[in-house]
């Protein structure tokens, strides 16, 4: 995972922008900034009406959201780590572990400090505080990790476009399903995406710097 300085700067700027946006959003949530609260309430109410009016939509969103369940993602993570370990791809293994740890830390610390209540009228089971969305951050982190690991193996442009569309689109759908089922506010989901956009580039950039400087 040798990365040139120009690429490292892009990763750094991506991580920095995501961290800054995450910090601003967190402050807005913590102080209950009226425009954010009003927008969250309006979208959540509309999502509740839509899910009750169209049961098929609710069923689809329930199926989508289950792909981001902890059991599913832990199984995928265990398989990935086992595969990398068996292939002795220790550099990639360390990167995945660092990214997952960074994502979990960014989410759990803010999750405990903000302690935001979930919306009323939830249409699916959910426990714990609301901000940021765990389903969203976990799945988005997994999607970005998959993108980083698989991208170098694809040479055709259409393959890379298909990869981005598939993993990126599904990560967006999982986040959207949390709002559709009224278990998270829209800003919770945005916070989850920002966690992944901060954690994975930061882990990739710092790991690449360490690798480059440790080479003989």
């Amino acid at each position: 995972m040798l990365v040139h300085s120009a690429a490292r700067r892009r990763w750094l700027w991506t991580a920095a922008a995501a961290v800054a946006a995450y910090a601003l959003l967190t402050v807005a949530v913590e102080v209950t900034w009226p425009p954010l609260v009003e927008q969250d309430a309006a979208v959540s109410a509309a999502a509740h009406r839509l899910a009750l009016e169209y049961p098929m939509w609710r069923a689809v969103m329930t199926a989508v959201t289950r792909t981001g369940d902890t059991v599913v993602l832990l199984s995928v993570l265990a398989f990935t780590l086992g595969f990398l370990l068996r292939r002795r791809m220790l550099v990639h293994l360390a990167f995945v572990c660092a990214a997952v740890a960074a994502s979990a830390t960014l989410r759990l610390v803010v999750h405990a400090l903000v302690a935001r209540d979930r919306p009323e009228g939830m249409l699916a089971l959910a426990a714990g505080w609301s901000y940021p969305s765990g389903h969203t951050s976990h799945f988005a982190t997994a999607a970005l990790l998959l993108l980083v690991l698989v991208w170098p193996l694809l040479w055709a442009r259409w393959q890379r476009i298909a990869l981005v569309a598939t993993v990126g689109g599904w990560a967006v759908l999982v986040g959207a399903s949390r709002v559709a089922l009224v278990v998270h506010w829209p800003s919770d989901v945005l916070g989850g995406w920002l966690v992944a956009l901060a954690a994975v580039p930061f882990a990739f950039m710092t790991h690449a710097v360490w690798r480059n400087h440790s080479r003989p």
Side-chain angles (χ1 to χ4, degrees):
M1 297 176 69
L2 182 64
V3 182
H4 297 293
S5 58
R8 289 202 301 269
R9 285 195 295 271
R10 287 195 294 270
W11 283 104
L12 176 62
W13 279 112
T14 300
V19 168
Y22 185 46
L24 289 173
L25 179 61
T26 300
V27 170
V29 169
E30 177 64 18
V31 302
T32 59
W33 188 44
L36 180 67
V37 172
E38 292 169 5
Q39 188 66 27
D40 273 348
V43 173
S44 186
H48 192 272
R49 290 193 299 270
L50 182 66
L52 293 181
E53 186 174 354
Y54 298 98
M56 182 59 69
W57 168 253
R58 179 179 174 181
V60 170
M61 288 295 98
T62 299
V64 169
T65 208
R66 285 176 178 166
T67 64
D69 285 351
T70 301
V71 174
V72 175
L73 292 178
L74 284 179
S75 300
V76 172
L77 177 61
F79 173 82
T80 302
L81 295 178
F83 175 82
L84 295 175
L85 184 60
R86 185 172 182 179
R87 293 297 184 93
R88 298 187 183 278
M89 301 172 69
L90 301 183
V91 173
H92 297 77
L93 180 69
F95 159 61
V96 171
C97 291
V100 170
S103 176
T105 301
L106 275 174
R107 188 187 79 84
L108 291 174
V109 170
V110 172
H111 187 75
L113 291 176
V114 174
R116 188 187 201 186
D117 291 326
R118 292 180 183 269
E120 294 183 0
M122 295 191 301
L123 301 176
L125 295 177
W129 301 116
S130 189
Y131 177 85
S133 167
H135 268 70
T136 303
S137 66
H138 296 161
F139 198 94
T141 297
L144 282 175
L145 285 173
L146 181 63
L147 185 62
V148 171
L149 293 174
V150 177
W151 182 275
L153 305 178
L154 305 178
W155 294 97
R157 185 168 180 268
W158 71 266
Q159 292 175 326
R160 290 183 167 180
I161 293 175
L163 175 66
V164 172
T166 301
V167 300
W170 204 259
V172 170
L173 276 176
V174 169
S177 73
R178 305 307 285 167
V179 177
L181 295 173
V182 201
V183 292
H184 278 291
W185 304 104
S187 54
D188 298 338
V189 170
L190 178 57
W193 286 330
L194 290 173
V195 165
L197 284 173
V200 176
F202 179 77
F204 184 86
M205 183 270 299
T206 53
H207 191 65
V209 169
W210 175 78
R211 284 286 300 171
N212 290 349
H213 284 284
S214 64
R215 289 171 66 89

